[in-house]
Every structure is written in structure tokens, then in C-alpha cells.
Amino acid sequence: VRKILSTLGPVGDRWERVLEPTCGAGNFIRGILELENPPQEVIGIELQDKYVEKARRIPLREGTRVEIIARDIFGLDLGKDLIWGNKGPFLVIGNPPWVTNSTLGVLNSKNLPRKSNLKGLRGIEAITGHSNFDIAESIWLKLITELRAEDVTVALLCKTSVARNVLCYAKERGLKISAASIRSIDAKRWFGAAVDACLFTVKLDRGNQGYEADVFDSLSFESLSSRIGFVGKHLISDVPKYKEVSFIEGKSPLEWRQGVKHDAASVMELILAEKGWQNKLGEIVNVESEYLYPLIKSSDLHTNSTSPKRAVIITQKKTGDDTRHLKAVAPRLWMYLTEHRDLFQARKSSIYRGRSPFSMFGVGDYSFASYKVIVSGLYKEPRFVDIGPIDGKPVMCDDTCYLLPFESEGQALMVASALNHHVCQQFIKSTTFMDSKRPITKKLLARINLRTLIFYLWGEDSELPWCLSKKESVGNLFSIR
């Protein structure tokens, strides 16, 4: 608390009022009251009775009015329900919960924001997890929405990913931010939490409007490392680096696909053991071989192990295919899957509801292309690998990876080389935030204009003699798609 208050400067001189939206036992309020020149008013909001009692026992300071409100913050309108004695500038400060709304749901907590599609998510995005955000983020959105007419500075501890999400939300909704900063903190040291976290500070302004943030490596002002900001609708992690290679920004002429998704790895993914193919349950699996395909995973790409040691069972040629024909054409496979029916029925994702038994996602004609370029979505250093068939079968990847299908080895090698070039790597690194759970996404890959990149590197009419299967003209690479 003392470090943060020191970073913010003379609180009482800059802000006449201070609000802590989830004050807990009142550590920030205590620290504010100990300042040489505290503000005139302090309001804390807290839901849990035991913390309300502790906060109300904090020694008061002459000249500063302190009120602890025993309420659920989500039941208050912060612009209307708080009673202030004056209308001067004020500071919102604190450390709201970092827990996600889905975790609170598991805990049967009642302290949840009202259900609403604040971010305008499409149905499939909400289903697949985009709607599961931190309670801290929900509090942030409430603050900057309900206090947008005030002269207010908001400074809260939160995950760094939450800070970026708030900037995106503010820009989308036209909420006016005149200044912002992200100061990294050592969450492991202070809270025992292995997450990227920060002190995120935002100044709301009814006149000026900007959606950039200075990024500091610590709470110190001397540790400025970069500046994030928007280019078009995209939030960029390093604007100067991005501008150097922004000419490849556009739309990919080839469609990136995600690998196979089944949510049943213990049954569907196999390793080659001494007695044959074995699942993760330790069972030897004897099914028709035409439904087994070589499998490569993110960890294989990360360790440069591109000779698959795994296999995956593929039950469909395309998503939505009826699988019940397997009972007749692949009786051993059908029996094996049926024996593990309970595991498939226990899959939690709603995307499997109403589907044929043992359905998968991420399968289509592209899955069975002989040659592919594959990249993992999970690692900070993106490595694009060109992969051909193994024993005459196309290699599959799991849903942590993305792929492009090709008809020849030369095409795959050409595209992999372009994507691994430093120009493309700089583009990716300047646009991504490496603390994300999945730094490389399909949306990001779709922004790389491969046509522009390849023409820049080799020219439209050049031929690449290192293509192994045959010489591939750069020009005809896209004409066949």
C-alpha cells in the first residue's frame, strides 16, 4: 500500500475524495489516513461483515470523513448512490478480487455482476469461454462506465490481461481516457500468485480522448519499457516495432484452421508401447488402423520433435458427420468407443450437445491434406513447421495448434520459411502480449497477408530452387487456393 501510494504522489493534494470499491479490512484506507496530507473524504465499499467491522475500527483522522458502506458493489450505482460532501476530483484505489466469474459460480458465490453481454460477444464466443472474465474486470467496466462524467483517476491492482481488456472496452464504447499506465508488480512476492499483474491507472476525461498506456517494468517511473496503443481496431504491444513491419498487416489469402478437438485425450490419443498402441488409461487399443493418424502436439513443436510418437483416433471426415456407420464399417473401433461412452458423455463443452456419438471438432478436408504448416498457439516464440505425411498418412495436430493445408511439400516449405522470417516474427511479437494464455491465435494469424509477405521476400515471378518436390512459383501459390 505504501509503495502504491508513493507511486501515485501526494494523494490529498491531487484528490479531495477517495473511493475504494472493495475495501476488505481497509488496508488502503489505513494507508491513506496515515498520509501527511490525506483527502477530505474516503468511502469504502465491502460486502463481507467481518471485513466491514475491521475497516470501521481503523483510527480516524481529523479533517477526513470516512464511511464504510456494507453493500455489494454490483448492487450500487456508483455515479448516483454515493453521498459525497464535495464535487472535487477523486481517486478510486484498491485491489479487487482476481477470481473469475466462473470460479465464483463453482463456489456458489452471490457476489457476481448482473448477467449481461457487456462486450457484445457472439453466442459461440460466449460458449467457448470468452465471457469468463475476472471479477476485477467487471468492477473496472462498472467504474469507468458509471463514473465517466466525473473528474476521476482509477488505480487498481489487477492482472495485466485485465488492464488490456479495459483499454479495449473503453475504446469500443468511446469512453474518454486521457492517460493510462501499466506498472508491473511482482505478484509472486506480494501475493504468492503466479500471474502477470500490475498497478493499472486510468485518468477519465470528458474532453480529451486517448487509448494508449505507458508500460513500466516496476512501480518506479524510471522503468518505462514500452508503450501500447491501438492501430485501427487492434491493440499493439510495441507500436514502434509494429510500424516497421506493418506493411504485412491485412488479411491472409489462406484460411488458418485449428487442430482436432475431442476433449477425450485419455481415450482418443495413443502412444506406441511394446505391445501396441496404448491409451492414457494404460489399455492396449486394437482398432481398425485406417482411423488412426499420426499426432503432433504443441509440446512436440516446442521441443523441435516433429516425428510424431503419438496417434489420434479420427471418427469423422468433417464436423457434423454421422458416426453411427462406424458400427458396421469399423466394429472394433465402435466397441472400443462404446466401452468408454461415459467419458464422452461427461464432456462439459456444450458444442457436443445434440451431436453424433463420439463427435469431434476441427476436422475437414484440410485435416487430411498431405502437407501442412503448423504452429503452436501456446509459446512465446512462434515456430512454423512444415510437415508431410508419415507412412502415407497426413499428420494431425491438436486444438492448441493452428495449420495451413497444402498440396505439395514445396508450397508448405515456402510458406513456413516466410512465416519464420524475421519480418513476420517481428510483426507477431509487436502485436501479441506474451503473458496471454494463448499468445498466438487464429485471429492474429489471419491478419498476416501471406501474399504481401512472400512477394516482398522473393518477388511475384521468382522460383524457389530449394523447394524439394518441384519448383514452386510464388505467383501460383495463391492461385490454386
Side-chain angles (χ1 to χ4, degrees):
V1 167
R2 282 192 289 269
K3 280 183 173 291
I4 289 169
L5 292 175
S6 174
T7 298
L8 294 175
V11 174
D13 294 337
R14 296 182 63 188
W15 298 287
E16 300 173 15
R17 303 174 287 163
V18 173
L19 167 67
E20 186 174 5
T22 54
C23 70
N27 288 328
F28 273 102
I29 294 173
R30 182 180 289 105
I32 288 168
L33 293 177
E34 291 173 354
L35 293 172
E36 182 178 349
N37 184 22
Q40 298 176 21
E41 295 180 271
V42 177
I43 293 179
I45 302 170
E46 175 54 43
L47 176 65
Q48 300 186 63
D49 291 339
K50 62 179 180 180
Y51 291 135
V52 170
E53 292 177 8
K54 289 182 179 180
R56 286 176 174 170
R57 289 200 296 267
I58 295 174
L60 300 181
R61 179 79 174 268
E62 185 177 355
T64 300
R65 181 182 75 88
V66 177
E67 180 183 7
I68 307 299
I69 299 174
R71 289 282 300 275
D72 171 7
I73 184 175
F74 297 118
L76 291 169
D77 184 324
L78 301 177
K80 299 177 180 179
D81 294 343
L82 303 183
I83 308 300
W84 296 100
N86 64 69
K87 298 293 184 180
F90 79 95
L91 170 70
V92 180
I93 194 171
N95 181 24
W98 296 2
V99 67
T100 62
N101 56 3
S102 65
T103 302
L104 285 182
V106 171
L107 297 173
N108 294 318
S109 172
K110 300 296 188 291
N111 188 26
L112 285 164
R114 181 176 60 85
K115 300 296 182 183
S116 64
N117 193 3
L118 277 174
K119 297 184 177 182
L121 296 173
R122 295 182 301 124
I124 189 65
E125 290 175 325
I127 288 172
T128 53
H130 292 265
S131 60
N132 181 31
F133 51 92
D134 280 59
I135 297 303
E137 183 174 338
S138 187
I139 291 172
W140 262 108
L141 303 189
K142 182 178 178 68
L143 288 166
I144 64 175
T145 300
E146 296 181 0
L147 300 177
R148 62 186 180 274
E150 295 276 3
D151 180 5
V152 62
T153 298
V154 185
L156 301 179
L157 292 169
C158 60
K159 295 177 185 176
T160 309
S161 58
V162 167
R164 296 195 296 268
N165 290 344
V166 171
L167 277 179
C168 291
Y169 178 86
K171 187 176 190 304
E172 290 169 2
R173 297 302 175 96
L175 300 175
K176 295 181 178 180
I177 292 176
S178 61
S181 65
I182 295 174
R183 292 182 170 83
S184 296
I185 62 168
D186 187 345
K188 188 68 175 177
R189 173 190 175 189
W190 295 107
F191 303 112
V195 296
D196 285 283
C198 67
L199 173 66
F200 182 38
T201 305
V202 162
K203 174 78 166 67
L204 299 181
D205 195 311
R206 284 170 285 182
N208 298 323
Q209 186 168 307
Y211 303 102
E212 295 187 342
D214 289 324
V215 180
F216 298 84
D217 291 331
S218 70
L219 292 175
S220 167
F221 282 93
E222 288 74 39
S223 61
L224 179 66
S225 63
S226 64
R227 187 169 183 83
I228 67 174
F230 285 87
V231 175
K233 64 180 180 180
H234 300 296
L235 185 62
I236 303 299
S237 62
D238 191 329
V239 175
K241 289 290 186 183
Y242 168 83
K243 288 181 177 179
E244 294 175 0
V245 294
S246 62
F247 65 91
I248 68 170
E249 172 83 70
K251 182 178 180 181
S252 174
L254 308 179
E255 183 177 1
W256 285 93
R257 303 285 189 168
Q258 203 160 354
V260 295
K261 177 180 177 61
H262 45 67
D263 293 316
S266 60
V267 172
M268 300 290 275
E269 295 180 7
L270 313 175
I271 57 172
L272 191 59
E274 185 177 343
K275 295 182 180 180
W277 289 109
Q278 178 179 302
N279 65 21
K280 293 185 178 182
L281 303 175
E283 303 167 342
I284 299 300
V285 179
N286 179 21
V287 300
E288 288 78 3
S289 61
E290 57 263 41
Y291 296 93
L292 295 180
Y293 290 84
L295 174 68
I296 196 164
K297 297 170 73 73
S298 277
S299 55
D300 299 320
L301 297 173
H302 183 60
T303 58
N304 202 26
S305 176
T306 53
S307 297
K309 301 178 177 62
R310 301 179 180 89
V312 61
I313 296 171
I314 301 295
T315 59
Q316 297 165 298
K317 291 293 184 182
K318 293 182 179 179
T319 299
D321 283 352
D322 194 335
T323 59
R324 285 168 287 199
H325 73 288
L326 295 174
K327 186 174 183 180
V329 301
R332 295 200 309 276
L333 174 59
W334 183 260
M335 181 179 296
Y336 170 71
L337 296 173
T338 301
E339 287 172 353
H340 297 90
R341 182 183 294 273
D342 290 348
L343 187 145
F344 288 94
Q345 291 177 340
R347 294 185 293 187
K348 294 182 179 180
S349 177
S350 60
I351 63 175
Y352 299 107
R353 293 176 190 165
R355 301 280 180 174
S356 294
F358 321 119
S359 288
M360 309 177 72
F361 279 79
V363 289
D365 293 339
Y366 54 88
S367 306
F368 301 93
S370 295
Y371 298 93
K372 298 182 177 77
V373 171
I374 302 177
V375 65
S376 166
L378 303 181
Y379 294 101
K380 296 181 179 181
E381 296 293 332
R383 179 171 175 265
F384 296 85
V385 178
D386 56 290
I387 293 178
I390 304 287
D391 297 329
K393 285 191 169 184
V395 175
M396 303 288 171
C397 59
D398 69 8
D399 64 339
T400 65
C401 302
Y402 303 95
L403 67 95
L404 287 175
F406 294 98
E407 296 177 355
S408 76
E409 185 174 15
Q411 293 169 355
L413 184 55
M414 178 192 300
V415 171
S417 296
L419 290 166
N420 286 320
H421 192 275
H422 72 83
V423 168
C424 184
Q425 293 289 308
Q426 181 171 323
F427 176 85
I428 292 173
K429 291 176 183 177
S430 66
T431 54
T432 57
F433 296 90
M434 292 306 171
D435 62 314
S436 303
K437 290 182 179 179
R438 189 178 290 237
I440 311 301
T441 65
K442 184 176 178 179
K443 286 183 178 180
L444 168 63
L445 296 171
R447 290 167 54 190
I448 302 171
N449 191 327
L450 279 170
R451 186 193 303 274
T452 301
L453 174 63
I454 291 177
F455 288 178
Y456 166 79
L457 296 178
W458 295 298
E460 183 170 352
D461 299 322
S462 65
E463 290 186 345
L464 309 181
W466 36 260
C467 291
L468 303 180
S469 59
K470 62 177 182 178
K471 290 186 177 181
E472 296 286 353
S473 144
V474 176
N476 71 23
L477 174 64
F478 302 104
S479 64
I480 64 172
R481 304 311 299 170

